């Protein structure tokens, strides 16, 4: 007896077939929303019109999960989230008919059924600035790097003064302390100043 491969829901939809219910039960909806990665994936798709690259989605979901920016992700963090989405979460959403997931091409797109999740997602992410502005995340990371660099420079300079490696008077160390403190204040003010637009 030979077993034929059963096409996935997205393949059936491509061929004009559909076994997707008109809507999901409350239990199905909450089951799909119970995992943070699936919620983040759906939120990402809601913020982007049309098909998206699965790798781009995985990077942003990983950045949200690890509370960092996409450029500052470590490769193991990217890989961990990518594999989870690739093998488990996106196929489950595709099976439910919420997304079209072309696994071989790495393309993901919302279906009309995904709109059933919008009200829940809006409520979940309403107060989450981090997941509402990808550009703000990247900008925050750059400002953090500037502040970190200034702090490390100051720590190195004060250690040099404290160990008396160079013959600078206490006036120089006080002046350096004032300059570094002002630099940190200026960096913070520029980071949080309202942007013109």
């Amino acid at each position: 007896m030979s077993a034929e491969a059963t096409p996935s829901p997205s393949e059936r939809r491509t061929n004009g077939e559909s076994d997707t219910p008109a809507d999901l039960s409350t239990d199905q909806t909450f089951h799909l929303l119970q995992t943070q990665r699936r919620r983040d994936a759906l939120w990402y798709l809601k913020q982007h019109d049309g098909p998206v690259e699965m790798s781009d989605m995985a990077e942003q979901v990983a950045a949200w999960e690890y509370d960092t920016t996409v450029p500052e992700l470590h490769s193991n963090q990217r890989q961990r989230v990518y594999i989870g989405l690739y093998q488990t979460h996106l196929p489950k959403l595709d099976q439910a008919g919420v997304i079209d997931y072309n696994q071989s091409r790495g393309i993901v797109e919302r279906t009309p059924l995904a709109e059933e999740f919008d009200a829940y997602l809006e409520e979940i992410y309403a107060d989450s600035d981090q997941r509402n502005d990808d550009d703000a995340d990247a900008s925050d990371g750059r400002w953090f790097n500037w502040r970190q660099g200034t702090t490390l420079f100051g720590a190195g300079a004060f250690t040099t003064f404290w160990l008396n490696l160079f013959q600078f008077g206490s006036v120089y160390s006080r002046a350096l302390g004032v300059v570094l403190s002002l630099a940190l204040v200026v960096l913070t003010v520029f980071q949080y100043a309202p942007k013109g637009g």
Side-chain angles (χ1 to χ4, degrees), residues 37-79:
R37 281 187 189 165
R38 284 198 291 268
R39 292 192 302 268
D40 284 348
L42 288 169
W43 184 245
Y44 180 88
L45 288 171
K46 182 175 174 2
Q47 294 179 322
H48 294 82
D49 291 330
V52 299
E53 296 280 339
M54 188 271 187
S55 57
D56 294 340
M57 173 197 290
E59 283 188 332
Q60 185 57 64
V61 170
W64 289 335
E65 187 170 316
Y66 289 99
D67 196 25
T68 186
T69 63
V70 170
E72 293 177 354
L73 279 171
H74 298 291
S75 60
N76 62 334
Q77 293 171 329
R78 276 188 181 88
Q79 185 178 13

Side-chain angles (χ1 to χ4, degrees), residues 81-95:
V81 172
Y82 184 94
I83 290 171
L85 287 171
Y86 180 85
Q87 292 180 344
T88 305
H89 302 298
L90 295 181
K92 185 178 282 283
L93 291 169
D94 183 63
Q95 185 73 26

Side-chain angles (χ1 to χ4, degrees), residues 11-174:
E11 290 170 333
R12 286 192 293 271
R13 286 189 292 274
T14 301
N15 295 330
E17 305 171 33
S18 178
D19 65 349
T20 305
D23 54 9
L24 297 169
S25 71
T26 304
D27 286 343
Q28 290 172 312
T29 300
F30 287 136
H31 174 70
L32 291 172
L33 288 174
Q34 76 182 4
T35 304
Q36 182 69 49
R37 281 187 189 165
R38 284 198 291 268
R39 292 192 302 268
D40 284 348
L42 288 169
W43 184 245
Y44 180 88
L45 288 171
K46 182 175 174 2
Q47 294 179 322
H48 294 82
D49 291 330
V52 299
E53 296 280 339
M54 188 271 187
S55 57
D56 294 340
M57 173 197 290
E59 283 188 332
Q60 185 57 64
V61 170
W64 289 335
E65 187 170 316
Y66 289 99
D67 196 25
T68 186
T69 63
V70 170
E72 293 177 354
L73 279 171
H74 298 291
S75 60
N76 62 334
Q77 293 171 329
R78 276 188 181 88
Q79 185 178 13
R80 194 172 297 133
V81 172
Y82 184 94
I83 290 171
L85 287 171
Y86 180 85
Q87 292 180 344
T88 305
H89 302 298
L90 295 181
K92 185 178 282 283
L93 291 169
D94 183 63
Q95 185 73 26
V98 177
I99 63 170
D100 278 327
Y101 175 39
N102 187 325
Q103 198 171 37
S104 61
R105 290 181 54 221
I107 302 294
V108 187
E109 186 173 11
R110 279 169 48 111
T111 67
L113 192 56
E115 293 175 8
E116 291 192 22
F117 295 88
D118 289 352
Y120 298 107
L121 294 171
E122 290 286 348
E123 188 170 330
I124 291 168
Y125 294 108
D127 297 326
S128 179
D129 290 337
Q130 177 197 17
R131 285 175 168 84
N132 286 326
D133 190 350
D134 299 342
D135 294 335
D137 287 345
S139 177
D140 286 347
R142 288 190 294 272
W143 285 110
F144 173 79
N145 290 339
W146 276 101
R147 287 195 312 270
Q148 185 180 37
T150 303
T151 302
L152 290 174
F153 173 79
F158 283 117
T159 301
T160 301
F161 288 135
W162 182 67
L163 294 175
N164 208 16
L165 296 177
F166 298 103
Q167 297 298 321
F168 291 115
S170 62
V171 171
Y172 290 112
S173 63
R174 287 188 193 125

